[in-house]
Amino acid sequence: MRKAGLITGGALVAAGKAIHAGMSTKELDKVIHNFITAHGAKPSFLGYSGYPASACISVNDTVIHGIPSAHEKLKDGDIVSVDVGAYIDGFHGDSAYTFKVGEVDPKTQALLDATEESLYMAISMAKPGVRIGDLSAAIQEYNESRGFGVVREYVGHGVGRELHEEPEVPNFGRSGHGVRLIPGMVIAIEPMITLGKPSVKVLSDGWTVKTRDASLAAHFEHTIAITSDGAIILTKPE
Ligand code: MF3
Ligand code: CO
């Protein structure tokens, strides 16, 4: 699964290098598609439940599942969440990163920092015996204590031969509850955090998820493998 994860992480690095003001989200999707296929993998999302692109590209108040468009141009000060999956040799990788287009204001930076830090905190906690609820509660507390909203409707998940497997990995919950981690498990942890209220809505395209209050949202995700002495980040780029 490291092979799928490396291509996934590499596609996000390529996306980060390509992002600039004036670029359309469709052009960005093309960069990602080309990276994945050039490395002999298939984009996990393309055709998944009819999804029409290789990456989900979610700008500003779009939380997740933004559909790339030739009409949507990135501009200075935007935040853009890029979610990528790659499939090779029978397994998937799944990872997301929220990039800045130029500079953002301090509140937005704090949102990006907290979301990413809460992901790495959960990864550092993940080892055999720890329960999913321990990770969920830690992510929730980290973000809510800073005044941010934790999206409830979408969660992390197991990853393997399918993109989405058991167990669910919520970003909210109670420590001491849920499945216990054991060596060999692979899960995607993916906090989706808002600058305002946590409520979201799905647009009429059936995919795009936006905050109801139009507040900005961040999304960071890694696929990790549980080993006897902790977690390996499978989607960490080289
Ligand atoms: N990357 C999403 C996740 O983290 C799934 C994308 S939905 C798709 O679970 F349809 F675009 F594949
Ligand atoms: Co995922």
Side-chain angles (χ1 to χ4, degrees):
M1 291 192 73
R2 174 64 173 145
K3 198 166 162 185
L6 255 184
I7 297 169
T8 304
L12 281 176
V13 171
K17 285 181 183 157
I19 283 174
H20 61 271
M23 179 185 219
S24 75
T25 53
K26 181 120 191 153
E27 290 172 86
L28 185 54
D29 181 64
K30 201 170 192 102
V31 169
I32 292 158
H33 181 91
N34 290 345
F35 185 95
I36 292 171
T37 55
H39 287 79
K42 279 172 57 177
S44 302
F45 303 171
L46 187 59
Y48 182 95
S49 298
Y51 186 74
S54 296
C56 298
I57 303 182
S58 307
V59 180
N60 294 335
D61 63 331
T62 300
V63 186
I64 49 166
H65 299 171
I67 300 173
S69 159
H71 306 293
E72 184 177 37
K73 301 261 167 69
L74 300 177
K75 51 186 199 316
D76 215 42
D78 281 349
I79 57 171
V80 50
S81 300
V82 181
D83 192 347
V84 172
Y87 178 78
I88 191 166
D89 295 347
F91 292 96
H92 293 275
D94 188 5
S95 188
Y97 191 97
T98 302
F99 296 97
K100 300 184 277 185
V101 184
E103 282 313 306
V104 299
D105 65 62
K107 264 170 62 183
T108 306
Q109 186 63 55
L111 171 73
L112 299 178
D113 291 345
T115 308
E116 186 172 25
E117 286 159 15
S118 70
L119 169 60
Y120 281 94
M121 180 192 57
I123 293 171
S124 69
M125 289 171 64
K127 60 170 197 233
V130 169
R131 288 167 174 254
I132 295 291
D134 300 339
L135 308 180
S136 302
I139 292 170
Q140 179 178 11
E141 162 63 18
Y142 196 91
N143 290 292
E144 287 184 347
S145 67
R146 286 161 176 77
F148 301 131
V150 175
V151 172
R152 303 289 200 276
E153 288 86 344
Y154 301 88
V155 297
H157 49 92
V159 184
R161 295 192 178 276
E162 303 294 335
L163 178 62
H164 294 132
E165 298 187 353
E166 288 183 355
E168 289 194 345
V169 184
N171 300 302
F172 58 96
R174 284 157 62 194
S175 62
H177 289 253
V179 166
R180 263 181 222 284
L181 301 178
I182 57 170
M185 275 184 176
V186 175
I187 57 172
I189 305 177
E190 49 179 317
M192 290 153 261
I193 309 297
T194 71
L195 208 42
K197 295 208 168 68
S199 324
V200 297
K201 60 181 181 193
V202 182
L203 299 192
S204 58
D205 62 20
W207 284 103
T208 311
V209 177
K210 283 184 177 275
T211 56
R212 283 192 178 272
D213 63 4
S215 64
L216 299 179
H219 179 209
F220 288 83
E221 174 179 25
H222 271 307
T223 301
I224 67 168
I226 309 304
T227 74
S228 53
D229 44 34
I232 297 170
I233 303 178
L234 295 173
T235 44
K236 186 178 159 163
E238 213 138 49

